[in-house]
């Protein structure tokens, strides 16, 4: 396809690792070379990823493991290790960020890169994409497929076109021929329902959709349809999102796994939820200034308390003291409870916190906090390797452990 494409108004690059989880396993187990690999869901119930040779033999994502073993007994079946895949993913993204300052973290193994204005470093989009692809393979050890085009949607479809380890460049002149060769459901945003609607109107290929009258598309698929149609025609509507949107709220709650009148058990679960909430805020560099704590009666009715803080926080001890206050007020001795939880609201990014007159961040943040250390340990050794002492009665924590390392308790 055409490669002399310097004058595009915008250049989107989509990178997608090839059978990522299975490739990660192959990477750390070179002895499995030549064997098909299936990676299983966290409860080992079904296949969540497979190598291309397993796919070629009829193994599908989501297939129950017994069915897969029936079809392909000689494949290697492995439990998923998301902590390890996360590490490989981080390594890949470090490479991506060397190729563009604007990288969208789309999923664990997919990214969008703004490749506009970078062509001075490469002779062509093809050279840019090939260099990116080969660098990931050389430095990380897994292969990726790359699509480059004038819109986000086309770039994503292009990366899918030549898998594995392929590059597809779609210049304006290539679009029509490309769309002729792909199905409606290959368009991100067109699932089976929307495809059926379009087929009902005689629109059966991606190209026919791109060439359909805008008014018709609007009448059956609304604004989304119009936007997708523009994107397929090379008119960029969807930008690269380098910052994930701020969540309205973050909730951590669960049932106690029993009905109990024991205050310590409820307190343990609240501690567990506050720990997970604070870890999540910390990991996403978010702070919140409003919190709600609730406990759920045996009858499923919940009672709660709301707190508004002067300064937004992600500090475990600050949030835990709210949970303690709430429990003090809400817990009735003799009553039986079945659940509890905590909600963070009014969330902003940590770097957007108010500054005082001297430009100092006004926050009660403790750098290198105990929680940071805990998160680090849990990331390395599996959730539950380090827990708050007060949360210890929560049995669920232990079950999350993947390996049996000595437990480290934090008081
Ligand atoms: Mg992938």
């Amino acid at each position: 396809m055409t490669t002399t494409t310097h004058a595009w108004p915008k250049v989107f690059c989509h990178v997608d690792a090839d059978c990522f989880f299975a490739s990660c396993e192959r990477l750390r187990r070179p002895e499995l070379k030549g064997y098909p690999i299936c990676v299983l869901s966290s409860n080992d119930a079904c296949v969540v990823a497979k190598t291309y040779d397993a796919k070629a033999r009829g193994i599908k994502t989501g297939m129950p493991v017994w069915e897969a073993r029936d079809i392909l007994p000689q494949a290697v079946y492995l439990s998923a290790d998301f902590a390890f895949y996360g590490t490989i993913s981080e390594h890949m993204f470090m490479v991506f960020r060397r190729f563009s300052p604007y990288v969208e973290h789309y999923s664990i193994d997919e990214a969008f890169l703004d490749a506009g204005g970078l062509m001075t470093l490469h002779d062509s989009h093809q050279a840019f994409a090939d260099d990116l692809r080969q660098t990931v393979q050389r430095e990380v050890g897994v292969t990726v497929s790359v699509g480059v085009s004038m819109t986000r949607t086309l770039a994503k479809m292009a990366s899918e076109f030549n898998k594995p380890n392929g590059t597809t460049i779609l210049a304006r002149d290539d679009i029509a021929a490309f769309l002729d060769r792909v199905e409606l459901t290959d368009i991100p945003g067109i699932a089976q329902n929307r495809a059926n609607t379009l087929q009902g109107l005689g629109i059966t290929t991606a190209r026919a959709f791109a060439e359909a009258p805008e008014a018709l598309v609007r009448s059956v698929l609304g604004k989304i349809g119009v936007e997708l149609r523009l994107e397929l025609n090379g008119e960029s509507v969807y930008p690269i999102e380098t910052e994930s949107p701020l969540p309205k709220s973050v909730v951590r709650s669960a049932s106690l796994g029993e009905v109990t009148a024991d205050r310590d058990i409820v307190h343990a679960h609240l501690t567990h939820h506050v720990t997970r909430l604070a870890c999540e805020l910390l990991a996403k560099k978010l702070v919140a200034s409003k919190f709600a704590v609730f406990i759920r009666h045996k009858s499923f009715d919940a009672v709660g308390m709301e707190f508004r803080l002067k300064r937004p926080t992600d500090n475990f001890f600050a949030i835990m003291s709210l949970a303690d206050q709430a429990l003090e007020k809400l817990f009735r001795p003799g009553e039986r409870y079945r659940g509890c939880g905590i909600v963070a609201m009014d969330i902003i990014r940590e770097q957007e916190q108010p500054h005082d007159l001297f430009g100092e961040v006004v926050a009660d943040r403790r750098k290198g906090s105990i929680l940071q250390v805990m998160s680090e340990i849990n990331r390395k050794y599996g959730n539950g390797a380090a827990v708050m002492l007060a949360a210890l009665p929560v049995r669920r924590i232990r079950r999350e452990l993947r390996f049996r390392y000595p437990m480290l308790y934090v008081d």
Side-chain angles (χ1 to χ4, degrees):
M1 293 186 178
T2 318
T3 52
T4 49
T5 43
H6 285 238
W8 298 4
K10 286 183 180 158
V11 188
F12 291 81
C13 170
H14 181 252
V15 197
D16 181 9
D18 305 318
C19 58
F20 182 59
F21 298 164
S23 302
C24 290
E25 294 294 351
R26 204 163 247 179
L27 184 64
R28 69 166 161 186
R29 300 171 204 256
E31 72 276 12
L32 295 184
K33 197 174 187 323
Y35 289 93
I37 297 175
C38 295
V39 177
L40 306 177
S41 54
S42 45
N43 53 359
D44 284 353
C46 59
V47 176
V48 291
K50 72 272 171 202
T51 45
Y52 284 91
D53 42 0
K55 185 180 180 179
R57 310 283 275 281
I59 307 291
K60 294 195 167 66
T61 296
M63 187 177 262
V65 63
W66 58 264
E67 196 179 333
R69 279 186 197 277
D70 241 21
I71 300 175
L72 204 58
Q74 70 273 36
V76 180
Y77 293 86
L78 300 168
S79 301
D81 180 357
F82 294 105
F84 177 66
Y85 311 150
T87 310
I88 304 296
S89 167
E90 273 171 34
H91 196 169
M92 264 193 338
F93 275 83
M94 277 161 58
V95 174
F96 299 161
R97 280 188 279 271
R98 298 210 314 261
F99 279 76
S100 170
Y102 303 105
V103 175
E104 174 178 338
H105 199 297
Y106 187 70
S107 76
I108 190 166
D109 76 320
E110 280 178 70
F112 286 98
L113 279 65
D114 181 345
L118 297 167
M119 290 309 124
T120 43
L121 300 176
H122 292 85
D123 292 337
S124 64
H125 297 306
Q126 181 81 42
F128 172 84
D130 286 342
D131 188 11
L132 173 60
R133 195 166 49 72
Q134 288 154 6
T135 307
V136 173
Q137 185 171 15
R138 191 173 59 241
E139 296 186 14
V140 186
V142 300
T143 65
V144 295
S145 294
V146 181
V148 181
S149 193
M150 316 169 79
T151 70
R152 194 183 155 95
T153 304
L154 286 172
K156 183 154 167 58
M157 291 166 74
S159 72
E160 196 55 45
F161 194 67
N162 194 11
K163 266 182 162 299
N165 202 12
T167 295
T168 303
I169 313 291
L170 282 184
R172 190 175 290 284
D173 294 343
D174 306 320
I175 297 176
F178 173 78
L179 293 179
D180 257 339
R181 297 172 60 180
V182 296
E183 313 255 331
L184 280 173
T185 48
D186 291 333
I187 305 169
I190 303 283
Q192 200 56 55
N193 268 347
R194 284 181 174 150
N196 291 344
T197 307
L198 291 171
Q199 274 154 0
L201 298 166
I203 298 168
T204 54
T205 66
R207 180 166 178 182
F209 175 60
E211 290 173 353
E214 186 188 308
L216 177 68
V217 170
R218 185 185 299 278
S219 71
V220 289
L221 297 184
K223 184 165 164 274
I224 298 257
V226 174
E227 290 172 352
L228 283 176
R229 183 182 159 282
L230 283 172
E231 286 259 313
L232 292 187
N233 282 294
E235 309 293 328
S236 172
V237 180
Y238 302 129
I240 284 179
E241 315 263 0
T242 48
E243 287 206 326
S244 47
L246 272 182
K248 288 254 182 297
S249 62
V250 179
V251 186
R252 283 295 171 268
S253 70
S255 102
L256 304 177
E258 61 184 314
V259 176
T260 181
D262 186 340
R263 191 179 187 280
D264 289 345
I265 295 281
V266 181
H267 182 255
H269 281 264
L270 265 181
T271 309
H272 179 51
H273 297 322
V274 171
T275 311
R276 293 191 303 142
L277 182 91
C279 281
E280 167 125 13
L281 293 177
L282 188 71
K284 297 197 168 152
K285 298 190 167 60
L286 301 173
V287 287
S289 51
K290 196 170 143 192
F291 293 87
V293 181
F294 63 90
I295 54 178
R296 195 174 295 285
H297 288 271
K298 178 171 181 274
S299 62
F300 288 97
D301 291 334
V303 284
M305 252 182 103
E306 257 187 37
F307 300 88
R308 183 172 287 284
L309 305 180
K310 279 209 214 77
R311 297 171 183 172
T313 189
D314 63 353
N315 184 288
F316 167 80
F317 298 99
I319 305 170
M320 196 60 224
S321 92
L322 307 178
D324 284 335
Q325 288 174 53
L327 194 61
E328 189 63 41
K329 265 268 192 317
L330 303 172
F331 189 87
R332 301 255 174 277
E335 283 265 10
R336 309 218 301 149
Y337 297 92
R338 65 164 67 247
C340 63
I342 176 143
V343 190
M345 292 161 285
D346 290 359
I347 294 167
I348 59 169
R349 290 182 216 287
E350 187 204 334
Q351 78 263 24
E352 288 160 11
Q353 283 188 92
H355 287 59
D356 71 9
L357 270 179
F358 304 99
E360 299 283 326
V361 171
V362 182
D364 58 349
R365 193 174 173 71
R366 304 175 199 186
K367 290 281 172 215
S369 71
I370 192 80
L371 216 62
Q372 223 148 359
V373 177
M374 259 185 77
S375 308
E376 194 61 29
I377 292 172
N378 285 330
R379 213 166 56 88
K380 224 167 163 171
Y381 299 108
N383 279 334
V387 298
M388 294 289 175
L389 191 56
L392 207 52
V394 180
R395 271 168 278 159
R396 187 181 304 122
I397 302 177
R398 305 248 199 136
R399 262 184 267 130
E400 288 171 10
L401 265 183
R402 182 179 154 89
F403 302 114
R404 286 280 150 196
Y405 286 95
M407 301 274 275
L408 175 72
Y409 301 127
V410 181
D411 195 6

